[in-house]
Amino acid sequence: QPLLVESGGGLVQGGGSLRLSCGDHERTLRSYRLGWFRQAPGKEREFVAAISRYGDMTYYADSAKGRFAISRDNAKNTLYLQMNNLKSEDTAVYFCAASNKFSWQESILERPSNYEYWGQGTQVTVSS
């Protein structure tokens, strides 16, 4: 199974930017559909974005559209989430996740249960 590790979180002012990364030092991720989720205290785990195996398709939550960009570099075995114009409501722990499912449907991509492997999370805090 993949061993996912996120990095790039931190504290940023409102309107600022962060770039999150997720990689696996032991296994290739090229065969997996990848996604980003986030979870704030007292909240359910929330879908942010997903990307297909070869990066040709992406899907974003409404909260992320126009501000966030998901990408992957299979040569570097790395997933990215570029976050721009951050808002206080973006404050959460951000998780990367991997799925070996072949199907690409929005209702499937949004559900955490459809991702088999998860990283430990990285904290993003946006000050108001």
Side-chain angles (χ1 to χ4, degrees):
Q1 64 179 27
L3 299 174
L4 304 174
V5 179
E6 303 94 337
S7 62
L11 193 155
V12 65
Q13 297 273 63
S17 298
L18 285 174
R19 189 193 196 196
L20 306 183
S21 299
C22 173
D24 191 313
H25 296 299
E26 299 180 358
R27 299 170 177 83
T28 180
L29 298 175
R30 67 179 62 187
S31 64
Y32 293 91
R33 186 169 60 235
L34 303 176
W36 288 98
F37 290 77
R38 65 188 185 187
Q39 188 165 20
K43 301 289 187 179
E44 294 285 326
R45 203 180 317 169
E46 178 187 22
F47 172 76
V48 177
I51 190 166
S52 61
R53 287 173 172 81
Y54 299 103
D56 56 314
M57 294 185 291
T58 58
Y59 173 59
Y60 296 91
D62 288 341
S63 60
K65 290 178 180 177
R67 299 189 299 125
F68 294 2
I70 188 172
S71 62
R72 66 190 296 169
D73 187 339
N74 285 345
K76 295 183 172 63
N77 206 38
T78 303
L79 170 73
Y80 303 98
L81 183 68
Q82 177 67 47
M83 303 186 293
N84 299 320
N85 192 25
L86 284 161
K87 306 173 181 179
S88 59
E89 53 262 43
D90 295 317
T91 295
V93 176
Y94 283 70
F95 300 89
C96 66
S99 172
N100 61 10
K101 296 183 182 296
F102 183 80
S103 179
W104 183 269
Q105 294 182 355
E106 295 178 357
S107 60
I108 293 176
L109 297 172
E110 292 171 348
R111 295 178 63 87
S113 61
N114 289 321
Y115 295 77
E116 295 87 14
Y117 310 109
W118 294 82
Q120 84 293 339
T122 185
Q123 177 71 48
V124 172
T125 302
V126 184
S127 63
S128 59

